[in-house]
Amino acid sequence: SFPLSPKTSMVSGVDEHQRFQGEGMYMGFATHPLTQGGTAIDPGRLPPFPAILAHRHETAYHISIFPNVFFSLYPDAFFRVRLSQNSPTRTLEHATLQTHSGALGAHDAQKILQEIFEFWDNVNTEDIVICENVQQGTSSPGYSRGRFSFRFEEPLHRFQNMIIDKVLMDEPTRYRIPTGDLSTNLVQLPKRILTEPPKVKESSVAAEQRAFEKRAAGAA
């Protein structure tokens, strides 16, 4: 449900994403365990938040609170984005990066925090481009809706149902609170350690688009 850039996948791989949703007006997932991918946000570069339990020092939580706030909580830092919509086609993002006071005493803390900030700034800029392209595509008269992926897009379906409940004037469902998952226990998956960036496979949609463009160029 969250846009995913290639850089993010080096530390928060799709195969390590696990749904993590209780009852409430939000949706989300966890990454467990995080990957040592040689990125600025690799676990262990800064001391973890004191309140985080030891067995969660390699876990990140990605939560979107209805309707306009989402955040990623890593063991040592918290990146939050608040959205403010100016029009049906324009939304502004307000981003905040936070850590705890104990992290400031680590060796090269200011340098590491600057690298973390620059990492998230770069990733978020990539995600904005992805969202803008999706918006343009869904606004096209030729756009046809497809199916959700149950494994990866259930939180997105959950979010859309929240919007529908608020838009419709049906009192029984207008104030409905989504139920939680049957279990929020995280599965202990094998830990990845990357020595080189992961290869990004071309999606079927991208392949079809490339084939269409090739045919169109040949017919011109």
Side-chain angles (χ1 to χ4, degrees), residues 15-86:
D15 289 339
E16 287 72 50
H17 288 179
Q18 304 180 46
R19 267 171 44 190
F20 193 83
Q21 298 172 148
E23 181 180 5
M25 297 294 287
Y26 76 96
M27 69 280 190
F29 62 93
T31 304
H32 180 77
L34 292 167
T35 299
Q36 293 288 349
T39 73
I41 61 172
D42 275 13
R45 299 193 72 208
L46 290 174
F49 286 101
I52 293 182
L53 300 177
H55 67 283
R56 288 291 176 257
H57 285 179
E58 294 186 344
T59 305
Y61 299 91
H62 315 277
I63 305 296
S64 182
I65 303 173
F66 184 86
N68 68 327
V69 173
F70 63 89
F71 65 84
S72 289
L73 173 61
Y74 280 71
D76 53 13
F78 177 84
F79 182 72
R80 184 206 66 172
V81 174
R82 177 175 59 84
L83 306 175
S84 58
Q85 189 171 4
N86 286 7

Side-chain angles (χ1 to χ4, degrees), residues 39-156:
T39 73
I41 61 172
D42 275 13
R45 299 193 72 208
L46 290 174
F49 286 101
I52 293 182
L53 300 177
H55 67 283
R56 288 291 176 257
H57 285 179
E58 294 186 344
T59 305
Y61 299 91
H62 315 277
I63 305 296
S64 182
I65 303 173
F66 184 86
N68 68 327
V69 173
F70 63 89
F71 65 84
S72 289
L73 173 61
Y74 280 71
D76 53 13
F78 177 84
F79 182 72
R80 184 206 66 172
V81 174
R82 177 175 59 84
L83 306 175
S84 58
Q85 189 171 4
N86 286 7
S87 73
T89 58
R90 181 176 175 80
T91 299
L92 299 180
E93 291 193 354
H94 310 269
T96 304
L97 175 66
Q98 297 178 320
T99 187
H100 58 102
S101 58
L104 301 179
H107 178 66
D108 284 340
Q110 292 299 332
K111 177 178 178 291
I112 294 173
L113 287 170
Q114 183 62 32
E115 291 172 351
I116 293 175
F117 176 81
E118 291 175 358
F119 178 94
W120 280 118
D121 183 57
N122 182 61
V123 166
N124 205 45
T125 300
E126 291 179 353
D127 287 348
I128 289 173
V129 174
I130 294 172
C131 292
E132 289 176 341
N133 289 338
V134 169
Q135 184 76 7
Q136 291 178 4
T138 56
S139 300
S140 169
Y143 170 70
S144 178
R145 293 187 299 271
R147 293 183 177 181
F148 284 121
S149 165
F150 177 78
R151 178 183 175 190
F152 297 113
E153 296 184 310
E154 186 281 335
L156 181 59

Side-chain angles (χ1 to χ4, degrees), residues 137-212:
T138 56
S139 300
S140 169
Y143 170 70
S144 178
R145 293 187 299 271
R147 293 183 177 181
F148 284 121
S149 165
F150 177 78
R151 178 183 175 190
F152 297 113
E153 296 184 310
E154 186 281 335
L156 181 59
H157 182 248
R158 176 182 171 106
F159 183 79
Q160 291 190 348
N161 283 336
M162 294 181 205
I163 294 176
I164 293 171
D165 284 347
K166 295 302 181 185
V167 170
L168 298 180
M169 298 302 292
D170 188 3
E171 288 298 323
T173 59
R174 192 175 186 188
Y175 302 102
R176 176 167 48 190
I177 304 296
T179 59
D181 295 334
L182 294 178
S183 173
T184 55
N185 293 326
L186 298 179
V187 178
Q188 184 60 48
L189 300 171
K191 182 176 175 60
R192 296 187 307 160
I193 298 178
L194 299 182
T195 56
E196 60 182 25
K199 295 180 179 180
V200 180
K201 296 180 180 179
E202 183 178 42
S203 69
S204 59
V205 175
E208 291 173 4
Q209 177 64 25
R210 185 166 54 83
F212 172 80

Side-chain angles (χ1 to χ4, degrees), residues 2-22:
F2 292 82
L4 183 64
S5 76
K7 291 185 178 63
T8 310
S9 66
M10 293 178 65
V11 67
S12 176
V14 174
D15 289 339
E16 287 72 50
H17 288 179
Q18 304 180 46
R19 267 171 44 190
F20 193 83
Q21 298 172 148

